[in-house]
Structures are given as structure tokens and as C-alpha cells.
Amino acid sequence: MTYVLDARSGRIGEVMGRVGGRVQLRPVGGGREWDCLPEDVAQASAEEVLRERVRRLNRDARARAATEPPIPAPS
């Protein structure tokens, strides 16, 4: 897998392909793809990719916690 930084938005994405002179990117962990120009991308470091994965896992965990009923306290 190749991950790049979209300089326009600051987002990290996995390169999915190239169509019509544009690079197609998908967010780390999945989601809706977006396109950008090849000159607007730079190789993402392993640290940047890891940071984005952790950010996504934390966001997903918070979303799940917000929708789950609270655990009753022991009596």
C-alpha cells in the first residue's frame, strides 16, 4: 500500500489509482475516495500514517461509546 499526503487538505490517503490525470485516494481505514492532482501529493511517512490510524480508531471508539447504553453499577 502506498500512502500520500494531500497538500491541499492535509489529509492522508491510500493511493487507489490514477484516472484522467488525477490521483484517487481513500482515507486510512476506508471511506469515501477523493481525487487530487499528482503535484499536490507527497509520500506520507510511517509516523503520519500511524498517527492517522490511531486518530481514526479513537474517533470510532468514541462514536461507539456515545451510542451504547451505560453499564449499570454493581449493587
Side-chain angles (χ1 to χ4, degrees), residues 6 8 15-25 33-41:
D6 178 350
R8 297 172 310 157
V15 176
M16 302 307 294
R18 297 174 194 279
V19 175
R22 294 188 173 263
V23 180
Q24 295 180 314
L25 304 175
E33 292 182 7
W34 78 97
D35 295 341
C36 62
L37 296 172
E39 59 266 20
D40 290 333
V41 299

Side-chain angles (χ1 to χ4, degrees), residues 3 7-8 15 20-21 24-25 35 39 41-42 44 49 52-53 57 60 67-71 75:
Y3 292 98
R8 297 172 310 157
V15 176
Q24 295 180 314
L25 304 175
D35 295 341
E39 59 266 20
V41 299
V49 175
E52 187 60 31
R53 284 183 175 151
L57 289 171
D60 292 348
T67 60
E68 294 175 358
I71 298 172
S75 21

Side-chain angles (χ1 to χ4, degrees), residues 41-54:
V41 299
Q43 187 71 36
S45 70
E47 293 167 343
E48 291 170 316
V49 175
L50 178 60
R51 188 178 308 119
E52 187 60 31
R53 284 183 175 151
V54 170

